[in-house]
Each structure stands twice: as structure tokens, then as C-alpha cells.
Amino acid sequence: MKFLDQAKIYIKAGDGGRGSSAFRHEKYIEYGGPYGGDGGKGGDVILRAVPNLNTLIDFRYKQHFKAEVGEGGMSKQCTGKGGDDLIINVPVGTEILAEDGETIIVDMDKEGKTFTIAKGGDGGFGNCHYKTSTNQAPRRADPGYPGEEIWVWLRLKIIAEVGLLGFPNAGKSTFLSVVSNAKPKIADYPFTTLHPNLGIAKIHDEEVLIADIPGLIEGASEGAGLGDRFLKHVERSKTLLHIVDITAEDPVKNYKAIRKELKKYSLTLFEKPEIIALNKIDAIGLDEAKKIQAKLKRSSKKEVFLISAVAKQGISDLLLSVKKMIRSKEEMEND
């Protein structure tokens, strides 16, 4: 499935139906009065957040959405049938923004949440509404009112419990493939991951949703590389898992560089709970790995795990710590 996290669409609610101008014509009723019914209401356009979507790719192929118009009024004071509402399904975590791309109209952040983005127009009055003591046979019937129309931006922010961070080629995709059912592209060169990948890890019979975003580089918060566009996908995660390549020239420097970019991008993101994992320890000796671990602990003042995603070393202890941090975060939010 292709990934798309931003789309612009046109939405048009249904117009109201036209009122009817009709008169009674029954036998033996000499002066049949006005008998026209009102037009039906146009359909609304309703957004609905559903859990089985994680991309906006469908909106690349269809950008115009129109609800059904109301039917016209009929004789015998019959109101026209209202137009059917149009329901547009979007992934949970989709923000709806105005045409300026900045003003947030609604955040579809919960499964099953609905929002009426455009209301259908009311039907026009039939000529029955205009009968008076001085005008017993009005011929006036109103057209239906137009439905609301609007251009909006859809911006998807994936809702995952764990967000993976790190430099390109740090081993995030390999880690995700080892702990979950995800099958991200993996290769020994930077920027293998070109869009977020999602995986579900099982930790003691509990499922944890993990999001892997493209690797970050210095200047990402200002648009350098690929990470700037995708940082929003870890904004809603409960905890961050920072994967650091222990074979890099200076792992501590790389860690600090990512932390600097997070702070520039969002203080909220910067302050999220974080666990650090030094990856690829199978490529160096254990003694050397422990030295780098101690150095990174002193610098970050956080717990640092030694792992090898390829060799599946240290994964269980890391996942247990991740689980504890998530539950601790949830308990704080519920207090």
C-alpha cells in the first residue's frame, strides 16, 4: 500500500430541493387552494475516523466529494425526499485544515469520531407557505438553498504508542521487522525508509503499535533531508525509542544532533519520555560497547540499552522497558 499523509479535497453538501407550485384539482372542489410541497433538504458531508486506514492515498485519485441533492416538492403538499448524507472515511489521527493549510477545523483523533464538515441546504418552500387572506392562489415556490462547499486539507498524524527515531541507517527498520509483523525495506544505505512504517509488537501478550519514520539528519527541523516532513507522525506517541548506531564515528554526537532537531521542531516532542538503544553491538566488542554505553548515559542522563537488531540481542529487555514506560505514561494521563 502506498503511503500519503497529506491531501487537498473539495467538499460540497447537497443543495435543497425546489418547492412545488401546485393546486388542488379534485372534483367537486371549486376553489382548490395551493397544494405544493416543500423541497427536500440536501445531504450533509460527514467525516468519520476509522481504524483500518493508515494512509490518505485514496484521496490522490478522488478529490471531489458531493452529497446528494434534495428532491423537489410535489403536489398534495408532499415534501421532497431529503438527499442522502455522504460519509467520508479518514484514518484515525487525521487533522482537517482550512484551505490556508494552517487553521485546524477538527482533529479526527479518536476511532468512530464524526464531524459534519458541510451542511446540506434546506429545501425551498412550496406555494402552500404563501397563502394569505389576500392571496388565495399564490404561485410562488422557492428554489432550494445551496449546500455548503469548502476546500480542505487532510493531514495525517499517525497515532502510535512508540515512535522510532534515529539517523539514517541506524537500524530502525531492521528493529521494527524483528519485533513486529512489519516488512519495511531494509538496505545498507541511508534513506532506505521513504515513508513511515507501522508494526505491532507483542510484549507479554500485549500489543504495542510502533511507528518508524525516515531517518533524521542535522537541519531536519528546518527542512533538510526527509525527516522534517515526517516528525509529525511521532508527535502523538506515548514514548520515543531512539536507536543509535554504535558503529558510527561518534554515537553520542549523533544522539545530541537528533535531540537538537526535536527541540527545534517541537518542545512537546522534545519532552516526551525517551528510551535509548545502542544498536549493532554485534559489530564491536562488548567491552567497547559498554564504554560507549556509559558515555551516552552520562551525556543523556537516561537509560541506555545495548542491542543488536540483526542478532536479536537485548531485544526482550528493551521491549519490557518500553512497555513499562508506556503504562507509566498512561497512568499519568488517567490521574
Side-chain angles (χ1 to χ4, degrees), residues 136-302:
Q136 295 291 313
R139 296 185 177 276
R140 175 181 170 181
D142 295 340
Y145 292 88
E148 296 178 341
E149 56 184 321
I150 186 174
W151 281 93
V152 296
W153 283 96
L154 309 183
R155 185 171 66 191
L156 175 59
K157 289 185 178 182
I158 292 172
I159 298 180
E161 292 168 295
V162 180
L164 291 183
L165 296 175
F167 262 64
N169 211 31
K172 302 188 304 301
S173 296
T174 301
F175 174 83
L176 185 65
S177 69
V178 167
V179 303
S180 75
N181 56 354
K183 307 248 180 248
K185 181 180 178 183
I186 300 170
D188 190 22
Y189 56 84
F191 299 122
T192 308
T193 301
L194 301 179
H195 57 75
N197 290 302
L198 292 177
I200 298 175
K202 279 198 172 182
I203 309 175
H204 284 192
D205 296 326
E206 288 189 39
E207 293 186 343
V208 175
L209 185 62
I210 302 175
D212 168 31
I213 67 170
L216 305 181
I217 62 175
E218 291 190 66
S221 61
E222 298 168 359
L226 300 174
D228 157 66
R229 180 178 169 188
F230 298 112
L231 274 170
K232 62 179 177 287
H233 292 302
V234 293
E235 282 184 335
R236 303 190 188 198
S237 59
K238 292 183 173 66
T239 186
L240 303 176
L241 177 52
H242 195 148
I243 306 291
V244 181
D245 184 355
I246 201 169
T247 66
E249 184 176 345
D250 191 341
V252 176
K253 181 181 177 182
N254 285 359
Y255 169 77
K256 289 182 176 179
I258 296 296
R259 294 296 297 172
K260 181 180 178 181
E261 295 306 318
L262 291 182
K263 191 172 185 178
K264 285 183 180 179
Y265 179 82
S266 165
L267 193 58
T268 300
L269 189 57
F270 176 77
E271 293 175 346
K272 280 186 180 293
E274 180 190 53
I275 294 176
I276 307 167
L278 279 166
N279 190 27
K280 305 182 184 179
I281 62 169
D282 57 309
I284 66 173
L286 185 58
D287 290 340
E288 182 63 24
K290 287 183 177 180
K291 289 179 183 178
I292 298 174
Q293 179 188 34
K295 187 177 180 181
L296 187 51
K297 273 186 176 181
R298 289 194 300 270
S299 176
S300 65
K301 297 181 175 56
K302 296 176 182 176

Side-chain angles (χ1 to χ4, degrees), residues 59-87:
F59 297 101
R60 171 173 289 177
Y61 306 108
K62 182 179 180 181
Q63 292 92 28
H64 291 73
F65 296 85
K66 296 180 180 180
E68 192 174 56
V69 300
E71 291 184 357
M74 293 167 282
S75 182
K76 298 184 180 179
Q77 299 186 33
C78 291
T79 299
K81 177 180 175 293
D84 291 337
D85 295 336
L86 174 64
I87 297 177

Side-chain angles (χ1 to χ4, degrees), residues 15-16 20 29 38 82 104 194 213 300:
D15 295 337
S20 171
I29 298 178
D38 299 339
I104 297 176
L194 301 179
I213 67 170
S300 65

